[in-house]
Amino acid sequence: MHKIRKISLFVIFILLIFVGYKYLSLSGLLKKTNISIGDKSKSVKNNSTLSSKKPFSVLLLGTDTGDLGRTDKGRTDTLMIVTVNPKKKTTTMVSIPRDTMVAIPGLEDTFPQKINAVYTFTDLNQTVNDISKYLNVPINFVALVNMGGLIKMVDKVGGVKVKSPLSFAYNPYTAHDTGNDLYKFIKGSTSYYHTTNGVDWTKHKTMFGNAALAFTRMCYDDPLGDYGRM
């Protein structure tokens, strides 16, 4: 079993959303925890796969909307395929770079497009089907969450502690280390600092929703850019 040392908070909590329908009860937050793909017969087949403990794949999608004043449909800037083998007790996680160039079926005249725009131009069902065909990987389920959903989930479980792999400051409104609403993370530490006026810094030992969102969205200060964030 692979030991993945650096997994973003986003992945952890999108997985919580997926498994929540069976193992968690978070006071009504998990109203719709997994969405079967395709027609009813395929839905029944997918549920049978879970019951028989056969391997299954989940497409995890995270949109850049739902908070920070964003109310549009958004783009799926986070795309991951998680394949679970219950009998072997293994989980494989593969990130799909959001800038991967694709031709969207039915919209070939808009080529080139980034893969994170498939959902923006089409719908959830076509997004799953297109990614499945593009990678030649069957997808049984999909979990979709936006930035607001991530904040609510982290707050609902009482926050989390994450040891930051880098030292950086991030403002969720500017996407850089500028402005007053700054979060500062320290390499090797689970604590972080926050200021709303650029002067008075408050130390926190537990990372709640807004801080978690800031932590997962930073990519410009990562030496590996978006690959590092993934």
Side-chain angles (χ1 to χ4, degrees), residues 18 56-60 80-84 139-143:
F18 174 72
F56 62 91
S57 292
V58 187
L59 177 62
L60 310 179
M80 298 181 177
I81 292 182
V82 176
T83 301
V84 180
I139 297 173
N140 303 99
F141 300 96
V142 59

Side-chain angles (χ1 to χ4, degrees), residues 169-180:
Y170 186 84
N171 184 328
Y173 293 94
T174 66
H176 293 280
D177 58 354
T178 57
N180 292 330

Side-chain angles (χ1 to χ4, degrees), residues 25-227:
S25 176
L26 298 179
S27 302
L29 182 60
L30 304 174
K31 292 182 180 179
K32 208 167 190 179
T33 52
N34 81 85
I35 305 169
S36 295
I37 303 305
D39 56 26
K40 185 176 181 180
S41 62
K42 189 169 183 178
S43 177
V44 172
K45 183 179 179 180
N46 288 339
N47 289 332
S48 176
T49 298
L50 289 177
S51 300
S52 64
K53 294 187 177 181
K54 294 180 181 179
F56 62 91
S57 292
V58 187
L59 177 62
L60 310 179
L61 300 171
T63 58
D64 59 348
T65 187
D67 196 64
L68 306 177
R70 300 182 184 183
T71 57
D72 59 323
K73 187 176 183 180
R75 296 173 181 263
T76 53
D77 278 353
T78 297
L79 306 98
M80 298 181 177
I81 292 182
V82 176
T83 301
V84 180
N85 189 321
K87 291 184 178 179
K88 292 185 178 181
K89 297 182 180 180
T90 60
T91 301
T92 309
M93 184 181 298
V94 178
S95 290
I96 306 170
R98 62 178 179 173
D99 292 338
T100 302
M101 187 181 297
V102 297
I104 303 175
L107 297 172
E108 288 83 0
D109 59 329
T110 67
F111 179 85
Q113 287 289 350
K114 297 179 181 180
I115 199 168
N116 68 340
V118 177
Y119 173 72
T120 309
F121 285 103
T122 63
D123 55 27
L124 186 60
N125 195 67
Q126 182 169 338
T127 300
V128 176
N129 289 333
D130 289 354
I131 292 177
S132 178
K133 292 178 181 177
Y134 181 79
L135 297 178
N136 194 27
V137 173
I139 297 173
N140 303 99
F141 300 96
V142 59
L144 176 72
V145 69
N146 60 25
M147 296 189 296
L150 173 63
I151 291 174
K152 291 178 182 178
M153 179 63 73
V154 176
D155 287 343
K156 203 68 177 182
V157 298
V160 293
K161 289 187 177 181
V162 178
K163 184 179 293 186
S164 179
L166 299 170
S167 292
F168 64 93
Y170 186 84
N171 184 328
Y173 293 94
T174 66
H176 293 280
D177 58 354
T178 57
N180 292 330
D181 191 4
L182 280 172
Y183 293 86
K184 184 181 293 184
F185 303 94
I186 310 300
K187 182 178 181 179
S189 174
T190 57
S191 298
Y192 71 94
Y193 300 83
H194 181 233
T195 178
T196 55
N197 59 17
V199 177
D200 300 313
W201 291 87
T202 303
K203 184 177 181 180
H204 300 269
K205 294 183 179 181
T206 300
M207 189 181 294
F208 287 93
N210 289 322
L213 180 62
F215 182 80
T216 58
R217 294 189 69 229
M218 188 283 290
C219 67
Y220 296 115
D221 290 336
D222 193 311
L224 296 178
D226 212 37
Y227 286 99

